[in-house]
């Protein structure tokens, strides 16, 4: 049977989702948990990779198993063998043609900032400090430029290996709640570091560090060098995957 | 000159505020930072100790120094030498008779829970899971029993060493926001583990694990054994100290 699982993790200490030679990954931990719970060595396929240090509220993955644990209870068995910063929050039986990566229709990422002139230890783990409140109106206006189908080549770090750099963005929501600023982006897929470069450029516009035309130029000319730096991983969280 | 500082910390990896032989404490880190910034070995006196693993949004402390750094800029110098999970968020000159502990009039602590049937890695660092939403009305009603001057002997772990177990509680606020439950307690002072036992008993009442009369009995008879267990440290945060 094929089982779909939803996984939540604090990515701080992991080298991202995908198994790799130099360091512990979330995928590896989940695969080890499946082995410990079922005795089966399986591949756990995620909806996509998240980079080193990126968090997930709700990553989706699937794997095949012959175990006798009822599928809706498998998550509890896996949690017995997972470290506390990774938890499978649900599991369910899906048809054999369900594929966590290929069938993903929409993904939502959130990037979190806090406004302060001193680092705040209780926020630093999941958000990045900016010293002054950016121009929210300017950020909201310019966020609309990303919506729709665009070539996001300029919003992609080298080493991506994606076949095409065209993606569709459905929404970009900029929200300020007291001193917490978040930018939530929903799209049909994301290139390597895409959200971190998009949001970094958008916040640079809001802080007056770069003119709004930078976004237009990046979308038009596809040159990464026109944009600002890639934001740190810890502010980013995969919020949701839709099928 | 005497300098008052406000310190924020993620207490996860510390053995509490107060210097002790077996492990690194926040006080020790701040004293080392003062030494590195000024060359002076000083005692940094906090408003009170926080236990191992307890966080602080706003702990207050003072120390005396002959350094030439302007007092309102000292916090920046200290942050250069502090680990990222401790930050001095402000500093100011105070009169020589200011005492961070003796002059503290009110302290506010918050205990945070989240409602879920699976641990949530992105919440676990600063909150404690409870499986079902407790009866909020019952919790709010019973929280009033703590308000006023009472003998909190039953809400105190052994090893306290306090001269008197009488304290005044000014307010207890129970707030549920979506799946996040917090209990915020303001008082003139707190005994060893007092908030963690108070809130633990209150939430046991809200979850139907103990009758509301337990609180009355504890206040009346002063017996710790009547109450529930002491809640974990990580859900507790010192929010504010008033002078």
């Amino acid at each position: 049977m094929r089982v779909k699982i939803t996984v939540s993790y604090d990515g701080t200490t992991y080298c991202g989702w995908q198994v790799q030679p130099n360091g512990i990954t979330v995928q590896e931990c989940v695969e080890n948990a499946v082995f410990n719970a079922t005795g089966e060595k399986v591949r756990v396929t995620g909806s996509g990779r998240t980079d080193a240090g990126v968090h997930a509220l709700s990553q989706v993955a699937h794997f095949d198993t012959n175990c006798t644990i009822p599928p809706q209870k498998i998550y509890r068995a896996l949690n017995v063998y997972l470290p506390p910063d990774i938890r499978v929050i649900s599991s369910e039986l899906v048809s054999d043609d369900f594929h966590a990566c290929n069938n993903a229709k929409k993904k939502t990422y959130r990037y979190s900032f806090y406004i302060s002139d001193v680092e705040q230890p209780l926020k630093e783990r999941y958000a990045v400090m900016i010293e002054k409140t950016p121009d929210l109106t300017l950020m909201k206006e310019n966020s609309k430029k990303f919506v729709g189908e665009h070539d996001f080549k300029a919003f992609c770090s080298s080493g991506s290996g994606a076949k095409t750099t065209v993606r569709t963005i459905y929404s970009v929501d900029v929200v300020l709640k007291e001193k917490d600023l978040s930018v939530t982006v929903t799209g049909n897929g994301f290139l390597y570091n895409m959200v971190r470069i998009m949001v970094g450029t958008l916040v640079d516009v809001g802080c007056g560090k770069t003119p709004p035309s930078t976004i237009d130029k990046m979308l038009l000319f596809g040159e990464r060098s026109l944009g600002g730096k890639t934001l740190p991983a810890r502010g980013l969280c995969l919020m949701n995957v839709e099928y």
Side-chain angles (χ1 to χ4, degrees), chain A:
Chain A
M1 64 179 174
R2 182 157 288 188
V3 177
K4 175 188 174 188
I5 56 173
T6 303
V7 191
S8 188
Y9 46 89
D10 178 326
T12 308
T13 61
Y14 295 96
C15 296
W17 167 266
Q18 185 163 289
V19 167
Q20 55 135 295
N22 311 310
I24 296 176
T25 65
V26 180
Q27 186 183 30
E28 184 184 335
C29 290
V30 178
E31 289 177 353
N32 288 342
V34 175
F35 178 71
N36 283 306
T38 68
E40 299 171 10
K41 280 202 181 288
V42 300
R43 168 91 322 174
V44 174
T45 304
S47 74
R49 52 178 87 178
T50 54
D51 296 335
V54 172
H55 313 292
L57 182 68
S58 198
Q59 162 75 294
V60 175
H62 78 260
F63 62 93
D64 295 320
T65 174
N66 296 314
C67 77
T68 55
I69 309 167
Q72 73 280 10
K73 287 190 177 169
I74 282 180
Y75 77 101
R76 296 222 169 254
L78 299 183
N79 285 338
V80 172
Y81 301 101
L82 282 167
D85 48 7
I86 304 177
R87 277 292 171 272
V88 181
I89 55 176
S90 66
S91 55
E92 58 178 300
L93 181 70
V94 283
S95 65
D96 285 348
D97 61 356
F98 174 84
H99 194 282
C101 180
N102 298 346
N103 297 10
K105 290 213 160 43
K106 285 185 184 181
K107 280 183 201 171
T108 299
Y109 278 95
R110 177 169 296 164
Y111 202 93
S112 300
F113 302 96
Y114 64 95
I115 323 286
S116 175
D117 60 350
V118 193
E119 287 93 347
Q120 295 195 21
L122 297 176
K123 293 192 171 180
E124 270 289 306
R125 198 171 178 92
Y126 306 116
V128 166
M129 185 180 87
I130 43 178
E131 296 203 14
K132 284 177 187 166
T133 308
D135 183 328
L136 267 277
T137 311
L138 203 60
M139 280 184 74
K140 285 179 184 178
E141 273 173 21
N142 280 280
S143 71
K144 292 174 194 157
K145 293 175 179 172
F146 294 117
V147 177
E149 191 183 81
H150 298 283
D151 186 341
F152 286 95
K153 197 180 161 196
F155 298 89
C156 173
S157 292
S158 58
S160 152
K163 284 175 205 157
T164 164
T165 48
V166 174
R167 294 289 184 278
T168 300
I169 296 298
Y170 301 112
S171 62
V172 185
D173 291 310
V174 181
V175 175
L176 180 69
K177 241 186 191 176
E178 294 175 31
K179 295 288 178 188
D180 298 311
L181 175 71
S182 70
V183 181
T184 306
V185 187
T186 300
N188 67 348
F190 293 92
L191 302 165
Y192 184 41
N193 284 345
M194 180 167 150
V195 180
R196 289 155 66 182
I197 301 170
M198 275 174 66
V199 177
T201 309
L202 190 61
V203 88
D204 276 355
V205 168
C207 293
K209 287 185 192 166
T210 196
S213 61
T214 298
I215 297 175
D216 306 279
K217 283 181 191 162
M218 289 174 80
L219 289 171
L220 191 62
F221 301 118
E223 279 178 33
R224 170 71 189 92
S225 60
L226 293 166
K229 61 179 197 299
T230 304
L231 290 171
R234 71 180 184 282
L236 188 62
C237 184
L238 174 57
M239 302 299 285
N240 195 27
V241 187
E242 289 172 72
Y243 290 90

